[in-house]
Amino acid sequence: MWLGPEEVLVANALWVTERANPFFVLQRRRGHGKGGGLTGLLVGTLDVVLDSSARVAPYRILHQTQDSQVYWTVACGSSRKEITKHWEWLESNLLQTLSIFDSEEDITTFVKGKIHGIIAEENKNLQPQGDEDPGKFKEAELKMRKQFGMPEGEKLVNYYSCSFWKGRVPRQGWLYLTVNHLCFYSFLLGKEVSLVVQWVDVTRLEKNATLLFPESIRVDTRDQELFFSMFLNIGETFKLMEQLANLAMRQLLDSEGFLEDKALPRPIRPHKNISALKRDLDARAKNECYRATFRLPKDERLDGHTGCTLWTPFNKLHIPGQMFISNNYICFASKEEDACRLIIPLREVTIVEKADSSSVLPSPLSISTKSKMTFLFANLKDRDFLVQRISDFLQKTPSRQLGGNAGGTKASVSDPAPESLPASQEAPEPPTSPSSPLRSPPSFSTQEVPTTSQGLLKVFQKNSPIEDLGAKGAKEKMKEESWSIHFFEYGRGMCMYRTAKTRELVLKGIPESLRGELWLLFSGAWNEMVTHPGYYAELVEKSMGKYSLATEEIERDLHRSMPEHPAFQNELGIAALRRVLTAYAFRNPTIGYCQAMNIVTSVLLLYGSEEEAFWLLVALCERMLPDYYNTRVVGALVDQGIFEELTRDILPRLSEKMQELGVISSISLSWFLTLFLSVMPFESAVVIVDCFFYEGIKVILQVALAVLDANMDQLLDCSDEGEAMTVLGRYLDNVVNKQSISPPIPHLHALLTSGDDPPAEVDIFDLLKVSYEKFSSLRADDIEQMRFKQRLKVIQSLEDTAKRSVVRAIPGDIGFSIEELEDLYMVFKAKHLASQYWGGSRSAAIHRDPSLPYLEQYRIDASQFRELFASLTPWACGSHTPVLAGRMFRLLDQNKDSLINFKEFVTGMSGMYHGDLTEKLKALYKLHLPPALIPEEAESALEATHYFTEDSPSEASPLASDLDLFLPWEAQEALPQEQQEGSGNEDIQERRGAIH
C-alpha cells in the first residue's frame, strides 16, 4: 500500500536491499523469506515487541536522492507481489520525469506530492471525505487481516500492546479488537502465539488482579481461559471489550448485527489514533448512558456536554454539574448525585438568551419555557458555540410538535442587548405536562371514550369525598398538599427540578390523583406520547381484527389479568386492555406479547388513559426493563442473576441456604416480571411501582433483598423449597398499605398456610424505608456493569440449551456421536453467524428469527453449504466439488426455501460418512436426478441420452443399456410435455416399469 512519505534516518539496520535505482530502493525485512536464522528470530521479536505503530511490513520502498542521507518511505507491502506492483509503477511513471529536475529538493517535493495524490485518489472512493481512519491505523488493520486471514468485511476497532499469559509465562504481543473477533499475536525468539476468539463464544469477561496474574483481563470461552495483562490503559481496553461482547450477545439474542451509525456527528479534525469505529462505539456508550440517566427516547443522540452551574431558586444556590445537549433536549445533572436533575425539552423552549457576564456570574445563559419557568446557567466555557448549537436544534424542533406545523412555534436566540421575542402563538402548542387541559383523547367510538380520557380507577371507583374517609382521607389530603407545594417551588411537568426532596415525596407514596401524571413524567413516557400524536389511535385501527399468535395469547390472558378488580370484571376494562396489548404487539413484533405484560398493563390502565398506558408500556418494555418481555425473558433472567450475586455479597449465610433449596430462581422471576404486583396486595405493590418509575430496577432489587433479610431466620430453618416458598408467600401476602384510600381489593395470590396463626402485618412504607436504609448503596452504573456480566452467562446458557435441544432432535441412527453432533452444530452455527458478519443481505441473515424453534433458528444458504461441503465432506472431487455441493444442497432442501437447517445438514453428512456402500451409491444416484438437478442440467442429461440411443442404435446399444441404469427418468418429468413425447425412447419407459 502507498504510504504518506515519512523520514527514515537509518535505512539499512534491519533491512536488506533487493532492488535499487537512482531515486528508489526496494527493501526486504531481515529474517523474512530465505535464510532467517538468528537474525530473523531477533528481528521478528523486535517487530512484535517494539512495533508501537504496527507498521512493520516485510517489504517497503524508500525514496532517496544521491546527496541526501535522509530516506522517505513511500510504500510497504505484505507480499513480494504487492510491492513489485508498486515498484514497477514507480519505474514506469516517475523515473523519466524525475531525471528532468535539476534540484534534489524539487525531486523530493515532486515525489511526496505524487504519493499524496495517489493516496488521496484511493481514499476518495473508500470513505466519505473527512472521515478517514488514520494512516497508521489502516496499516494495522491490513496487518491484522493478513495475520489472521480475515476478509475485508471484518473491521478493526482498536489494537493494544499487552501480554498474553501462556501458563506462567507472559508472551508480549498485540491484541486486535475487531467487530466480531478478539485476536492476539506474539512472536518471541521463534515461538509464535496466534489466537482468534469470536465474541459470540465469550462466556465470561472480567477485569481482576490475583497473586498469579497482575491486573489483568480474563476472557473465558467454553474451551479455554485466557489472561491478558500489562496494558497501558487497561480501563479503556476492558470497556471496549465489554461493548464488543455486548454487541455479540445482542446478535445472539435478536439477530441485531453491528451497523456503523452514519448519523453521528463527525469531528472537525480526524483523530490521530482513533478509528471511525472506535468513535462510533464511544458515542454509542455515551448515548446509552445519557438516555438511561434522563429516561429519553431510544433515538435521542447526545451532541455534547460541558461543565456549568445551574441557579436553583428553591435553595438560592449555584449548583455545579454538567449540561448535556441533544437534538431534542437540554439536560442537567449535578455533580452531587441527588442535588438536582433537570430535563428541558426543546419543544417547550421559547427564549434562549445570553445575559451579561460578571465576576459573580461568568458567561450566563438564560432559557425560558412555555410554562413560564426560566433556567439560569453560568460558567459555560464556550457560550457562543453552545448557543449556536441550541439555535440549530431549535430550528428543527417545530416540525415534530403537535399539529405538525413547521412554522408554528418559534424560539428566539438573542444577545443581551436586543429584547427577546416570545414564542409565536399561531399554531396550537403541545401540552407542557400531563395535567394540562390541552390533552385531547384519540378518536374512538362513543362507548370507548371513558377509558380513553381517564384511568379506569376513576370510572369504576365510587367517588367519595376525601373528607368522608377519616384519617386516610386526611393523610391523602396532606400528600396532595405536599406535592402542590413541591410543584410551586420546583416546577410542574417535564421541566421540574428533580431533587432529593422529590424522592422523599415519592417514597411517602404518590397521591392517587397524581399517580398517572407522575408515572408519565418519571418514566419519560410523556416525551414520546407528546411527540407522536395520533400514533396509538393509528396502531389500534391497524391492529384490531388482525390475528396472530400474540393476539391468541392475549385473548387467553385477558380475564386473568386482575380478575379481582371491578374494572376488569366487565367488557369496558377488558376491551381497553385488549387494545393496548394488541397495539403494542403490533408495534413491536419481536416482543409481541409475553405473560406478565397483561398484569402490569392492567395496573397502568387504572391510573391513565389507554394512550398513556400504551406509552408507559413502551417505556417499560423498551427502556426500563430491557429484554424482560421477549420469548425467553432474558432481561428478567439477567436481573435474577444480579439478585443472586447481591444475595451472595450482602446476605452470604442466607445465599448458601437459598442455593441449596433452589428458591431464588423460583421467586425472583415473578417478583421482577410483574414488579411485585402478582405476589403482593395491589394497594401495596402500586407503591413499589411509584418508586420504580422514579428510581428504576434498583428499587425492585432493594425490596427483594429487604424481603429476604426480613425472613432470614425462618428461611434458614426451612428444609425444602416448598417450605421456603410458604414463608415468603405468607410474608408478601401480609404487606399492607394502611394509607390507601381505595377500597381493599381481594388478593388472589395463594395464601400458603399450614394451620399456624397468620404472620404480623408489614407496612409497605416500613418495608421501603428498610430497603433504602440497608441496601441503598446500589448504584445505577454498578447495576449496568453487573447486567453485562450476567447477560454473558444467561445468553450463553440459553445457547447451550438450544444446542442440546437441536442435538436431541437428531435421530439416533444418524451415525454421529453426541460429541460429534455438538461439534458439527458449532461449525454450522459459526457459518450462519459469518453470513451476518460479512454477508450483507444474504438470505440466511434475513431469515433468521429468534422466535422460531431452536432447530430452525440457524440455517445456511447454498453458498455457505458449498464452503462447508468443501471443508468437511469426504467426497471432494477437485473442480467438480461446487457442482456436487450444489446438487447435494438442492437434494437436502426439502421445503424449497433455499435454506437448510442443522438436521438436514447432518442427514447429508451422515450419508457420506456413515452410510454403507449401497446407501452411498443411492445417494450418488439421487444426485443425478431432480430435485438435485436444475432444469437445465436435466435437459442436458436427456439430450446426451438421445444422442447415444438415436444416432447409432446398433453400435451404441450396450452403452445405452449401461446408461439406462443412471438415466434420470425423473428428468423427463421435469421437461415440457412435448419434449417428453418426442423422445421416442419407449424402451426406457418399459425398463423403468420392469424395475419398479
Side-chain angles (χ1 to χ4, degrees):
M1 65 179 288
W2 297 106
L3 302 176
E6 290 186 6
E7 286 189 19
V8 179
L9 297 178
V10 182
N12 298 310
L14 301 173
W15 296 83
V16 178
T17 299
E18 294 200 336
R19 295 190 189 182
N21 60 42
F23 304 105
F24 298 100
V25 178
L26 189 156
Q27 295 184 329
R28 171 177 54 84
R29 190 77 167 166
R30 286 185 188 275
H32 185 83
K34 297 179 181 178
L38 181 60
T39 306
L41 293 180
L42 291 172
V43 173
T45 300
L46 282 172
D47 287 349
V48 171
V49 176
L50 303 179
D51 178 17
S52 59
S53 64
R55 298 192 66 168
V56 180
Y59 298 96
R60 70 178 182 180
I61 298 175
L62 304 179
H63 162 66
Q64 185 208 27
T65 52
Q66 290 181 356
D67 298 333
S68 172
Q69 296 302 311
V70 177
Y71 291 79
W72 298 83
T73 57
V74 294
C76 72
S78 57
S79 66
R80 188 178 294 276
K81 181 180 178 182
E82 180 186 3
I83 205 69
T84 302
K85 182 181 176 184
H86 288 342
W87 178 262
E88 289 173 352
W89 187 93
L90 290 171
E91 286 190 324
S92 303
N93 295 279
L94 289 190
L95 284 188
Q96 190 172 357
T97 306
L98 294 178
S99 61
I100 299 171
F101 288 93
D102 296 328
S103 165
E104 292 191 354
E105 286 186 12
D106 291 345
I107 292 174
T108 300
T109 303
F110 180 80
V111 169
K112 288 164 70 175
K114 194 69 178 174
I115 300 300
H116 280 303
I118 295 171
I119 293 171
E121 190 64 30
E122 286 181 349
N123 289 341
K124 188 165 64 177
N125 300 324
L126 294 177
Q127 288 179 306
Q129 195 168 1
D131 189 36
E132 297 175 11
D133 287 337
K136 293 182 181 180
F137 190 89
K138 286 185 179 178
E139 293 165 39
E141 186 169 53
L142 287 173
K143 187 175 180 181
M144 176 274 297
R145 288 188 188 140
K146 174 77 175 174
Q147 187 70 56
F148 302 104
M150 296 290 179
E152 280 203 24
E154 184 66 351
K155 302 291 186 183
L156 179 65
V157 181
N158 214 346
Y159 59 97
Y160 302 93
S161 173
C162 68
S163 291
F164 165 64
W165 289 80
K166 193 167 186 180
R168 292 172 177 263
V169 181
R171 299 280 184 180
Q172 182 66 27
W174 288 87
L175 182 72
Y176 297 89
L177 304 182
T178 74
V179 172
N180 302 299
H181 297 85
L182 175 153
C183 307
F184 177 83
Y185 182 76
S186 171
F187 181 88
L188 290 175
L189 298 176
K191 292 190 176 180
E192 187 178 53
V193 176
S194 183
L195 293 170
V196 177
V197 176
Q198 287 191 21
W199 290 117
V200 291
D201 292 333
V202 173
T203 58
R204 182 177 181 181
L205 181 64
E206 62 184 25
K207 185 172 60 173
N208 54 21
T210 63
L211 292 173
L212 182 60
F213 301 113
E215 189 175 29
S216 61
I217 295 175
R218 174 177 176 173
V219 182
D220 286 6
T221 65
R222 290 174 178 82
D223 307 318
Q224 55 189 338
E225 296 177 359
L226 309 174
F227 290 88
F228 302 92
S229 65
M230 300 183 191
F231 293 91
L232 288 175
N233 189 340
I234 193 169
E236 177 198 327
T237 311
F238 183 69
K239 184 178 176 183
L240 180 57
M241 291 169 79
E242 273 191 327
Q243 275 187 286
L244 294 169
N246 235 339
L247 287 170
M249 293 307 105
R250 175 58 56 189
Q251 190 175 13
L252 288 177
L253 179 60
D254 55 18
S255 196
E256 271 188 20
F258 175 78
L259 293 174
E260 192 173 351
D261 192 346
K262 301 297 183 185
L264 286 173
R266 301 298 178 191
I268 298 171
R269 301 183 195 85
H271 297 280
K272 286 187 178 179
N273 299 313
I274 300 179
S275 68
L277 272 177
K278 178 69 166 60
R279 283 195 303 104
D280 187 327
L281 288 167
D282 288 345
R284 283 175 188 238
K286 289 180 180 177
N287 281 334
E288 287 170 9
C289 182
Y290 170 63
R291 289 192 294 260
T293 301
F294 299 104
R295 306 273 169 80
L296 300 179
K298 290 181 75 174
D299 57 351
E300 196 65 18
R301 288 187 178 88
L302 179 65
D303 187 69
H305 59 90
T306 183
C308 68
T309 59
L310 171 66
W311 170 253
T312 49
F314 50 86
N315 58 4
K316 296 183 172 50
L317 291 174
H318 291 281
I319 298 180
Q322 292 272 325
M323 174 193 278
F324 300 85
I325 307 291
S326 59
N327 42 340
N328 294 297
Y329 298 88
I330 300 170
C331 300
F332 174 85
S334 58
K335 284 186 179 178
E336 190 182 338
E337 188 176 359
D338 289 334
C340 184
R341 190 167 290 172
L342 180 65
I343 303 167
I344 308 173
L346 291 182
R347 64 177 180 270
E348 295 190 12
V349 172
T350 55
I351 299 170
V352 179
E353 186 177 23
K354 292 185 282 187
D356 292 322
S357 294
S358 67
S359 57
V360 179
L361 206 63
S363 301
L365 181 66
S366 170
I367 298 176
S368 301
T369 66
K370 296 170 187 172
S371 54
K372 311 302 180 189
M373 294 181 74
T374 300
F375 304 95
L376 187 62
F377 299 91
N379 291 285
L380 293 160
K381 291 180 182 177
D382 195 347
R383 184 176 61 167
D384 292 339
F385 176 75
L386 186 66
V387 168
Q388 185 59 50
R389 292 303 292 161
I390 295 173
S391 176
D392 292 343
F393 288 132
L394 281 170
Q395 296 296 325
K396 303 171 186 175
T397 302
S399 61
R400 297 192 188 96
Q401 292 182 346
L402 195 64
N405 186 347
T409 306
K410 297 185 293 184
S412 66
V413 180
S414 60
D415 291 319
E419 185 179 341
S420 301
L421 299 174
S424 168
Q425 300 296 323
E426 294 172 8
E429 299 175 2
T432 56
S433 80
S435 61
S436 170
L438 292 172
R439 288 163 70 188
S440 57
S443 54
F444 289 102
S445 58
T446 310
Q447 68 269 23
E448 296 168 0
V449 169
T451 63
T452 59
S453 61
Q454 57 186 328
L456 291 173
L457 207 59
K458 294 179 181 176
V459 178
F460 290 94
Q461 187 172 297
K462 294 178 182 178
N463 295 322
S464 305
I466 289 182
E467 292 77 12
D468 297 346
L469 296 175
K472 287 185 178 180
K475 186 72 175 175
E476 186 77 0
K477 192 73 174 172
M478 285 174 62
K479 287 182 184 178
E480 290 179 357
E481 287 294 331
S482 297
W483 277 99
S484 295
I485 295 168
H486 187 272
F487 291 147
F488 179 78
E489 292 182 357
Y490 297 86
R492 185 168 187 172
M494 191 53 66
C495 297
M496 176 173 61
Y497 294 98
R498 302 166 197 223
T499 67
K501 177 70 174 174
T502 314
R503 176 194 281 170
E504 287 175 21
L505 286 177
V506 172
L507 281 173
K508 291 176 182 176
I510 297 176
E512 296 215 338
S513 59
L514 296 173
R515 188 162 270 144
E517 171 186 345
L518 293 176
W519 284 1
L520 285 167
L521 291 179
F522 295 150
S523 66
W526 176 252
N527 286 321
E528 291 183 282
M529 188 172 88
V530 79
T531 52
H532 295 82
Y535 175 78
Y536 172 69
E538 290 173 16
L539 270 184
V540 169
E541 188 177 342
K542 290 177 182 176
S543 62
M544 294 309 288
K546 301 282 177 66
Y547 174 81
S548 67
L549 181 62
T551 57
E552 183 183 335
E553 292 175 345
I554 288 168
E555 287 298 325
R556 193 166 57 240
D557 284 353
L558 282 176
H559 296 276
R560 293 186 279 184
S561 300
M562 284 186 71
E564 66 273 21
H565 198 286
F568 299 98
Q569 292 171 0
N570 66 81
E571 189 52 34
L572 193 64
I574 294 292
L577 183 59
R578 177 186 293 113
R579 283 191 292 268
V580 173
L581 291 173
T582 307
Y584 185 78
F586 198 79
R587 165 192 165 88
N588 192 343
T590 56
I591 290 179
Y593 171 76
C594 171
Q595 285 187 339
M597 283 173 70
N598 59 322
I599 296 172
V600 174
T601 307
S602 60
V603 174
L604 301 178
L605 277 168
L606 292 176
Y607 294 100
S609 67
E610 278 184 35
E611 186 177 16
E612 291 167 349
F614 170 80
W615 286 112
L616 282 168
L617 186 62
V618 169
L620 273 175
C621 295
E622 297 175 15
R623 289 188 282 110
M624 298 188 73
L625 297 176
D627 304 321
Y628 259 60
Y629 299 106
N630 55 29
T631 51
R632 296 185 282 181
V633 293
V634 171
L637 291 171
V638 167
D639 285 347
Q640 174 185 298
I642 294 176
F643 182 46
E644 290 185 29
E645 189 175 338
L646 291 171
T647 307
R648 268 196 309 275
D649 295 341
I650 300 171
L651 306 170
R653 281 178 59 221
L654 185 57
S655 171
E656 191 176 335
K657 182 70 175 181
M658 298 291 274
Q659 291 295 333
E660 180 188 324
L661 298 176
V663 173
I664 287 186
S665 57
S666 303
I667 59 173
S668 53
L669 270 182
S670 60
W671 294 4
F672 296 151
L673 277 169
T674 65
L675 305 176
F676 286 95
L677 287 164
S678 66
V679 295
M680 198 181 280
F682 165 75
E683 58 272 13
S684 303
V686 80
V687 178
I688 295 178
V689 178
D690 291 342
C691 300
F692 167 76
F693 277 122
Y694 188 77
E695 295 269 42
I697 192 62
K698 167 185 170 179
V699 172
I700 306 299
L701 292 167
Q702 286 178 186
V703 172
L705 288 169
V707 170
L708 291 189
D709 186 49
N711 293 277
M712 183 183 293
D713 294 337
Q714 288 177 274
L715 289 170
L716 289 172
D717 292 336
C718 291
S719 56
D720 57 36
E721 180 184 0
E723 194 176 343
M725 294 293 290
T726 301
V727 169
L728 293 170
R730 288 167 55 118
Y731 178 87
L732 290 169
D733 276 338
N734 285 276
V735 176
V736 297
N737 179 3
K738 296 178 181 176
Q739 298 177 16
S740 175
I741 61 169
S742 299
I745 300 168
H747 181 41
L748 297 187
H749 177 254
L751 182 57
L752 305 170
T753 58
S754 56
D756 300 324
D757 294 331
E761 290 183 342
V762 180
D763 189 275
I764 181 61
F765 297 103
D766 292 339
L767 179 61
L768 279 170
K769 184 180 177 183
V770 169
S771 76
Y772 272 87
E773 286 175 352
K774 287 192 173 184
F775 310 111
S776 61
S777 58
L778 279 175
R779 293 171 54 87
D781 50 353
D782 293 336
I783 291 174
E784 284 307 311
Q785 184 72 31
M786 295 167 79
R787 271 180 167 171
F788 163 73
K789 182 179 172 183
Q790 294 297 331
R791 195 176 291 118
L792 283 178
K793 288 183 184 177
V794 168
I795 293 180
Q796 296 294 13
S797 173
L798 290 171
E799 288 296 304
D800 288 342
T801 301
K803 178 174 69 175
R804 288 192 295 270
S805 299
V806 169
V807 168
R808 279 199 300 268
I810 305 301
D813 59 352
I814 206 74
F816 292 110
S817 67
I818 296 295
E819 291 75 16
E820 288 172 332
L821 284 173
E822 289 182 349
D823 290 342
L824 280 172
Y825 177 82
M826 297 307 292
V827 171
F828 185 86
K829 173 182 164 183
K831 184 58 67 177
H832 167 90
L833 292 173
S835 73
Q836 292 188 306
Y837 297 161
W838 313 305
S841 58
R842 267 182 160 177
S843 55
I846 293 172
H847 284 80
R848 198 236 161 163
D849 183 356
S851 64
L852 289 173
Y854 289 134
L855 189 60
E856 296 294 324
Q857 284 188 19
Y858 295 114
R859 296 181 290 176
I860 58 174
D861 60 20
S863 61
Q864 293 167 299
F865 179 78
R866 277 196 296 273
E867 294 166 11
L868 285 179
F869 188 89
S871 59
L872 294 177
T873 180
W875 287 4
C877 48
S879 60
H880 298 289
T881 300
V883 176
L884 197 62
R887 292 186 178 186
M888 179 65 78
F889 180 85
R890 288 189 290 273
L891 187 65
L892 296 174
D893 182 20
Q894 296 179 359
N895 59 357
K896 308 301 176 199
D897 64 350
S898 300
L899 296 168
I900 63 170
N901 62 28
F902 181 67
K903 185 176 181 180
E904 293 164 336
F905 171 74
V906 169
T907 302
M909 289 291 111
S910 175
M912 288 182 278
Y913 273 98
H914 299 292
D916 59 24
L917 184 59
T918 304
E919 289 170 343
K920 289 177 180 178
L921 284 172
K922 282 182 181 177
L924 280 171
Y925 179 67
K926 287 179 181 177
L927 292 179
H928 292 77
L929 305 174
L933 295 179
I934 58 176
E936 292 80 3
E937 290 173 334
E939 187 174 348
S940 298
L942 197 58
E943 286 175 359
T945 306
H946 292 168
Y947 172 78
F948 286 113
T949 56
E950 292 178 1
D951 289 358
S952 52
S954 58
E955 296 178 10
S957 55
L959 178 61
S961 178
D962 292 340
L963 194 64
D964 291 346
L965 294 175
F966 296 95
L967 178 67
W969 294 311
E970 286 84 348
Q972 292 193 35
E973 298 170 5
L975 296 175
Q977 186 65 31
E978 58 270 17
Q979 290 192 32
Q980 294 182 33
E981 292 170 356
S983 65
N985 202 345
E986 293 82 1
D987 292 342
I988 294 172
Q989 299 292 340
E990 290 174 10
R991 277 196 295 272
R992 177 183 180 185
I995 291 173
H996 282 292

